[in-house]
Structures are given as C-alpha cells and as structure tokens.
Amino acid sequence: MAKRKFGWIVAGAALSGLLAGPALAEPSLSGHALSPWGMFMAADWVVKSVMIGLAGASVATWTIFIAKLLELSAAKRRAAASLARLDSVRGLADATAGLNDGRDPAAPLLHAVLEEMEQSADLPPEGIKERAASRLERIEAATARASARGTGVLASIGATAPFVGLFGTVWGIMNSFIGIAESHTTNLAVVAPGIAEALLATAIGLVAAIPAVLVYNALTRSIGGYRAQVGDIAAAVLRLLSRDLDRRGVKPRLRAAE
C-alpha cells in the first residue's frame, strides 16, 4: 500500500512538471517581447515615428561629425603649410609665385590684396593697408562661416531631441492609461509593456541628443582653431603688403637723391 501511494506521488510530480513546462517558457517569450526591437515593433505608430526620427537624427549627427572632422583636418594642414610658406618669402610676388593649390586658404587673401593694390595704384600708399585689412577681415569671416556650415543641425538636434523623445513617452503613457481604463483592471502587467515602450522613446532621445551636444562643442573648438590659423595667414599677408609698400616708397626717394 505504501509503495502504491509513493508511485502516485511520483506520477503526480512528473505530471505537474510537464504542466509547468509552458509556464517556465513564458518569461523567455515575455523577455523577447520586451527587447528594444520587440518594444519598437509593438509601439504605437506615433511613438514608432518618434523613434525613427530620433534614430535618423543620430545617424545625421555621426555623419556630420565624420565629414567635418575630415574637412577640418585637411584644412588645418593646408593652413599650417601656407603660413610656413608666407613666413619664408620676401614679398607678395614671391608668395603668389608659389601658389599652386586653389584650396590654399592664402589664395583668396593674396588675390584680394593684389586687387586692392591694383585699384589703388594712383593713390597714396597710406590708405592701402587699411583697405586691404578690411578686405581680409571680410574674407576671414566668410571662411569661418563656410567652415561652420552644417554644425547648426547638431545644435538643433541637441536642443530638441530630448523633448521629442519626451513627447513620444507622454503619448505612450497616455495610451497605456487608456488601455487600463478600457480593460477595467489595475493590474500592472497590463500597463507595463506600454510604459516600457514609451520610456524607450526618451532613451533614444537622450542617445541622439548627448552625442550631438558633445560633437557640436568639439567641432566649435576645432573651427575656432582653424579661424585662428586663417587670421595668422591674413596677418602674414598684411606684413608682406607692408614690406612691398615700404619698398615702393623707398625707391622714389632713392631716385630723387641720385
């Protein structure tokens, strides 16, 4: 009798184990549904649109960062080489003779100074440097604007992405509470997936915003350094102009002394 009772207990335990099998598999299915991709696919179309927009903004941030990093690195190398060449020549004629790269940042500065000298050929040399400095200042500002092109997008992403993600979160939580009202239950399991999907939008917004702010600050510092290099080139061009004007003023005096 005891053996028969023990057999029934073993059979009951095995049966309960078989019945518990699907229940043990349920958490893994639930975990799969609450993965980032599962939450994205199950989200409302508004929340899904917010996530897609923020992901596109993140891709745009890294694309701009890589493109501007390569652009500024090449521009800084050209500027350093141009400044070294200008410091080694005696006058504007020597500087323009060695100018063989159209992307050289000194090219527009030298052309502007030569044009001013040509237009002021019949005028006293005292005002030439002032007018040339005005031309160089405007070219320097235009170069800085050109080098900063595209960085405004990063500032916009960094400022708006958290709020866009927050909008998706608010919308998702609102839908979750509407689901609670329609199901007439206060069970947390009903609202938890919707809240998790909504909070994912905020997380993606932060993932898009934080790199955008960091990249914007890094590029701003790099652009400031490049602008300083262009300013050094402009100063070197003005020095060459001053030498040429002084030589032009010395020659007539030497001829009068003869």
Side-chain angles (χ1 to χ4, degrees):
M1 187 72 177
K3 291 183 179 180
R4 184 179 300 176
K5 186 175 181 181
F6 177 75
W8 283 109
I9 292 174
V10 172
L15 181 61
S16 64
L18 292 175
L19 294 177
L24 293 175
E26 183 178 357
S28 62
L29 294 174
S30 177
H32 176 74
L34 292 180
S35 65
W37 178 252
M39 288 188 289
F40 169 76
M41 296 303 297
D44 182 75
W45 68 271
V46 175
V47 181
K48 191 177 294 185
S49 300
V50 169
M51 292 180 184
I52 293 173
L54 291 173
S58 181
V59 172
T61 295
W62 292 108
T63 302
I64 293 173
F65 173 63
I66 295 173
K68 297 300 292 185
L69 184 64
L70 296 176
E71 176 187 342
L72 290 173
S73 297
K76 286 183 175 181
R77 287 195 299 269
R78 289 193 296 267
S82 179
L83 181 60
R85 183 175 55 82
L86 291 176
D87 288 337
S88 64
V89 298
R90 297 183 68 253
L92 293 174
D94 297 333
T96 54
L99 192 63
N100 52 11
D101 187 0
R103 297 176 300 174
D104 193 329
L109 301 173
L110 289 170
H111 292 159
V113 168
L114 293 175
E115 184 178 354
E116 182 59 39
M117 290 185 67
E118 182 180 354
Q119 294 179 357
S120 304
D122 55 343
L123 297 176
E126 287 76 13
I128 295 179
K129 286 192 291 185
E130 181 180 352
R131 291 188 293 271
S134 177
R135 284 174 177 260
L136 298 182
E137 181 181 355
R138 301 321 307 157
I139 294 175
E140 182 181 347
T143 302
R145 288 194 300 270
S147 61
R149 189 180 297 115
T151 57
V153 177
L154 299 176
S156 299
I157 293 174
T160 61
F163 298 101
V164 174
L166 183 61
F167 167 74
T169 298
V170 172
W171 186 274
I173 291 176
M174 181 180 65
N175 286 337
S176 298
F177 280 107
I178 291 175
I180 289 178
E182 292 177 350
S183 62
H184 303 288
T185 179
T186 58
N187 188 0
L188 186 61
V190 177
V191 68
I195 294 178
E197 296 161 7
L199 293 175
L200 181 62
T202 298
I204 296 176
L206 295 176
V207 168
I210 293 173
V213 173
L214 296 177
V215 169
Y216 176 78
N217 292 335
L219 290 180
T220 300
R221 290 192 298 269
S222 183
I223 291 170
Y226 176 61
R227 183 170 183 175
Q229 285 183 305
V230 175
D232 293 338
I233 294 173
V237 172
L238 282 179
R239 287 194 296 270
L240 296 178
L241 172 63
S242 178
R243 292 172 191 167
D244 287 352
L245 292 177
D246 289 343
R247 292 190 186 100
R248 193 173 73 174
V250 169
K251 289 179 181 179
R253 289 198 295 270
L254 291 176
R255 290 174 183 173
E258 293 175 356

